[in-house]
């Protein structure tokens, strides 16, 4: 009786090494492509973030200004806007007014009358070249009937701000300052907000 040897078919060691090398090359190419894509996405988001913050800040201010209350009777005080100059001559304007608006505070909504103050504060943690960087601050006081002075809630609307310029339309011209107490309790017809980031 003759024994027949079976031949097993399979891969040789050389073929396995070639296949594993190809898998490593393809894997490294995929990793490089994904890393480059994620890095480009991250840098694009960092480039767009300041503009997005400024747009959100302007939208919030637009809602505040649309609900501005005329000064005089009741709880509403004067609409006061100051034209100021900051570090190295940049615009650092501020405005204070009373408005009706709904404010989001974390999980809760509060509404009714509120006093809004918009101003720039020096951001000591950030410096852009030779320019001082500011943060755009919105201070909100909602309890206008408090018996003692209440500290306003402070919100940082935008960081890395280089300047804030506000102008007010009186019906004929654009002016840089406004004080409704000196002008028969009148309000500006329009407000122009210019934020440089």
């Amino acid at each position: 009786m003759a024994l027949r040897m079976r031949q097993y078919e399979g891969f040789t060691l050389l073929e396995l090494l070639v296949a594993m090398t190809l898998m490593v090359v393809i894997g490294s190419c995929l990793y490089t492509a994904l890393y480059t894509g994620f890095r480009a996405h991250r840098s694009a988001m960092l480039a767009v973030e300041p503009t997005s913050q400024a747009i959100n800040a302007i939208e919030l201010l637009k809602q505040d200004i649309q609900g501005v209350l005329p000064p005089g009777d009741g709880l509403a005080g004067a609409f006061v806007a100051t034209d100021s100059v900051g570090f190295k001559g940049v615009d650092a304007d501020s405005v204070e007014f009373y408005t009706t608006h709904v404010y989001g505070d974390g999980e809760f909504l509060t509404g009714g009358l509120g006093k809004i103050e918009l101003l720039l504060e020096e951001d000591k943690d950030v410096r852009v070249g030779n320019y001082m960087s500011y943060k755009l601050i919105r201070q909100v006081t909602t309890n206008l009937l408090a018996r003692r002075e209440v500290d306003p809630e402070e919100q940082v609307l935008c960081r890395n701000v280089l300047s804030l310029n506000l102008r007010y339309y009186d019906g004929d011209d654009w002016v840089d300052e406004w004080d409704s107490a000196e002008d028969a309790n009148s309000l500006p017809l329009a407000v122009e907000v210019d934020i440089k980031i």
Side-chain angles (χ1 to χ4, degrees):
M1 170 163 156
L3 289 174
R4 292 203 301 206
M5 300 270 303
R6 284 191 197 171
Q7 286 192 347
Y8 293 101
E9 293 187 19
F11 296 107
T12 65
L13 185 58
L14 182 62
E15 290 172 333
L16 285 175
L17 287 174
V18 169
M20 288 174 58
T21 304
L22 286 174
M23 285 176 40
V24 168
V25 168
I26 291 171
S28 65
C29 288
L30 286 174
Y31 174 78
T32 304
L34 285 174
Y35 177 77
T36 304
F38 284 129
R39 196 168 135 210
H41 178 266
R42 193 175 328 117
S43 63
M45 292 305 289
L46 287 174
V48 169
E49 185 181 2
T51 305
S52 175
Q53 285 181 353
I55 289 171
N56 290 338
I58 289 175
E59 280 301 314
L60 183 60
L61 294 175
K62 179 178 159 185
Q63 292 175 9
D64 286 341
I65 291 171
Q66 284 177 344
V68 72
L69 294 169
D73 298 334
L75 298 174
F79 186 105
V80 179
T82 308
D83 186 33
S84 303
V85 177
F87 183 71
K88 290 204 173 186
V90 300
D91 290 314
D93 296 352
S94 63
V95 63
E96 179 182 306
F97 57 92
Y98 293 78
T99 186
T100 59
H101 186 64
V102 176
Y103 309 98
D105 179 22
E107 299 174 1
F108 305 103
L109 290 176
T110 57
L113 300 177
K115 176 183 169 188
I116 304 289
E117 186 171 358
L118 183 71
L119 58 123
L120 286 183
E121 280 186 5
E122 183 180 321
D123 198 348
K124 298 184 192 246
D125 299 332
V126 179
R127 203 165 173 89
V128 180
N130 291 332
Y131 293 97
M132 180 62 64
S133 181
Y134 295 94
K135 52 188 175 181
L136 180 60
I137 302 292
R138 177 179 178 252
Q139 294 180 342
V140 181
T141 306
T142 54
N143 187 0
L144 301 177
L145 293 174
R147 294 182 183 210
R148 59 184 174 88
E149 190 172 327
V150 178
D151 291 332
E153 178 186 332
E154 192 170 280
Q155 302 167 336
V156 178
L157 296 183
C158 193
R159 293 190 181 275
N160 299 324
V161 177
L162 297 177
S163 71
L164 172 66
N165 188 26
L166 301 168
R167 295 191 323 151
Y168 310 92
Y169 187 63
D170 64 3
D172 294 323
D173 293 318
W174 288 94
V175 294
D176 291 324
E177 292 190 341
W178 195 279
D179 189 350
S180 61
E182 295 178 359
D183 192 21
N185 289 336
S186 66
L187 292 173
L189 299 177
V191 178
E192 178 185 80
V193 180
D194 181 20
I195 300 175
K196 289 186 182 165
I197 52 174

